Amino acid sequence: MWVPPEVLVTVDLVILTLRKTDLQVLLVERGVEPYRGARALPGGFLNNAGEGIAEAAVRELREEADLDGAQLHLEQLGTYGDPGRDPRGRVISVAYLAIAPELPEPVAGTDAAGAGWEPIEEILSGRLNLAFDHLQIVTDGVERARGKLEHSALATAFCDATFSIAELQHVYEAVWGVELDPRNFYRKVQKVPGFIESAGGERKATNGRPARLFKAGPTAVLHPPLVRPDTTTEGQ
Amino acid sequence: MWVPPEVLVTVDLVILTLRKTDLQVLLVERGVEPYRGARALPGGFLNNAGEGIAEAAVRELREEADLDGAQLHLEQLGTYGDPGRDPRGRVISVAYLAIAPELPEPVAGTDAAGAGWEPIEEILSGRLNLAFDHLQIVTDGVERARGKLEHSALATAFCDATFSIAELQHVYEAVWGVELDPRNFYRKVQKVPGFIESAGGERKATNGRPARLFKAGPTAVLHPPLVRPDTTTEGQ
DNA sequence: CGAATAGTGTCTATAAGACATTATACT
DNA sequence: AGTATAATGTCTTATAGACACTATTCG
């Protein structure tokens, strides 16, 4: 009688953050075969048969990046299961997308000989190669983040608990890779009900007028959305 | 030494179609335990260790609904892996979303004692109970479809190869659950470059002026998007 | 003709983008 | 004062939505 094949399940994390004006992703250097020495997304196998998938994602987030999943935006990105994607056999990977505010250099984790942030552009351009199908996963993760900035309050997840509107604008500019008008952005972002609310303080800059501080509001879905400007010289 | 746990993988399908003005989903009546006799999404285990996940989705689509995956819109919806979601043990399910034009009554498949279309509202309202966590999967699928109508040409996947603009409007109205102004819709949908293009013919109705026929254009992403009207009496 | 559906035109409130102007800090 | 950044205001153009109107079929 036929029985269904058993497979191994890994959880991989696309952890995005903003460092000095560009979008970066956390990578580890693999300490074990296969792809030993290559750069890869942090992640690992399900711990045991009783562990949920999202649960495993939170655990890996803590083990490999020392981040607290409860504090962060964490969502399922997709599942990658082409036969042959992993030389160890039939392994499918459930990828999660995590967004973090700017952080210091990460800690080397259990499976990782080394870990560090790398600019998205290094990976998408092909200058930096990744193990397995992790290039595809990173590509999907960045595209997901770009889209979600328009319709959700995801951008605040890149910021600290309080932030200036200019800082929020930098998030949009870095993730989208465009320049925005500060004055129109200021008005627009304040008009969306529940997106951001005043935190009361001010931030002293090196020079110039101090900026008011804001915090994330209660709204997760933006009405109206913040539309990404057309890069595709359409119409003509 | 620790070894990763092996799990079973199923593929489940949320197949949506439009039947007499409302959105319906394909369900099967389970012929085997667990949940024997209950209604569930069509789907099944991976065939063998060499079968890809998307490949399995196409196969199930053919086996259980007699639909050709190459002709249809088919995309990954998400992966559901809570421990305990399946009494048989550790089973995770990769769900796919499929969109089909109106079809005749479906054929009963291998695992299915019976199969048929059910209105989404019957399920979302709780009047019709589903096996496993399939209510959650259907909910996510419908929400995905609703959102994608705004930014993608998904709506044309509900229609036949050629369709009138009024028919396309019915798709939007049924999926979103709103009423739209035919005249504004007509203009708006024609303004999006590459969304629909003339197919040359006309469709004779019982009475009234015949409608011009259109077909899906080359564009998958809508610029500008067709925004869903606010149901949430916002502002005040 | 009248009824019904398809397709076009027009008006108005609102929003988006360009850009001037004022406000408040530091050196 | 001079410079740098924050915050507000104004103008123009594009767009969304409401709705009047014309076109083409059938009975």
Side-chain angles (χ1 to χ4, degrees), chain A residues 22-181:
Chain A
D22 52 27
L23 187 62
Q24 306 204 354
V25 64
L26 186 65
L27 296 181
V28 299
E29 189 181 325
R30 287 185 58 82
V32 296
E33 292 295 342
Y35 292 101
R36 180 182 210 129
R39 308 282 253 158
L41 293 172
F45 286 103
L46 278 187
N47 228 352
N48 56 67
E51 185 180 47
I53 304 182
E55 206 177 321
V58 172
R59 175 179 52 78
E60 292 288 345
L61 196 57
R62 184 167 20 81
E63 288 179 9
E64 302 228 33
D66 197 33
L67 293 172
D68 181 6
Q71 318 273 29
L72 258 66
H73 176 92
L74 187 66
E75 71 177 47
Q76 195 185 104
L77 184 56
T79 298
Y80 300 79
D82 285 348
R85 63 177 289 279
D86 191 317
R88 286 167 294 193
R90 193 61 204 273
V91 179
I92 75 173
S93 171
V94 184
Y96 278 77
L97 177 66
I99 306 293
E102 179 161 1
L103 294 160
E105 283 302 315
V107 204
T110 48
D111 262 356
W117 299 99
E118 290 292 343
I120 283 296
E121 262 313 296
E122 288 295 304
I123 297 158
L124 299 190
S125 66
R127 282 191 292 272
L128 179 58
N129 277 69
L130 300 187
F132 307 105
D133 50 4
H134 287 187
L135 168 60
Q136 182 65 53
I137 301 179
V138 169
T139 305
D140 292 349
V142 172
E143 194 43 47
R144 172 80 65 94
R146 285 184 172 149
K148 286 206 74 169
L149 281 200
E150 299 191 66
H151 306 282
S152 79
L154 180 64
T156 58
F158 281 100
C159 300
D160 294 321
T162 67
F163 49 86
S164 72
I165 290 191
E167 285 163 2
L168 189 62
Q169 181 183 339
H170 292 330
V171 172
Y172 277 90
E173 292 181 327
V175 177
W176 282 349
V178 297
E179 289 212 341
L180 303 173
D181 184 301

Side-chain angles (χ1 to χ4, degrees), chain B residues 75-181:
Chain B
E75 71 176 47
Q76 195 185 104
L77 184 55
T79 297
Y80 299 79
D82 285 350
R85 64 177 290 277
D86 192 317
R88 285 168 293 194
R90 193 60 202 275
V91 179
I92 75 173
S93 170
V94 183
Y96 277 78
L97 177 65
I99 307 294
E102 181 160 0
L103 294 160
E105 283 302 314
V107 203
T110 48
D111 262 357
W117 299 100
E118 290 292 343
I120 283 297
E121 262 314 296
E122 288 296 303
I123 297 158
L124 299 189
S125 67
R127 282 191 292 273
L128 178 56
N129 278 69
L130 300 188
F132 306 106
D133 50 4
H134 287 187
L135 168 60
Q136 181 65 53
I137 300 179
V138 169
T139 305
D140 293 348
V142 171
E143 194 43 47
R144 172 79 65 95
R146 285 185 172 148
K148 287 206 74 170
L149 282 199
E150 299 191 66
H151 306 281
S152 79
L154 180 63
T156 58
F158 281 100
C159 300
D160 294 321
T162 67
F163 49 85
S164 72
I165 291 191
E167 285 163 1
L168 189 62
Q169 180 183 340
H170 292 329
V171 173
Y172 278 90
E173 292 181 327
V175 178
W176 283 347
V178 297
E179 289 212 342
L180 302 173
D181 184 301

Side-chain angles (χ1 to χ4, degrees), chain B residues 36-49:
Chain B
R36 180 181 209 129
R39 307 282 252 157
L41 294 173
F45 287 102
L46 278 188
N47 229 353
N48 56 67

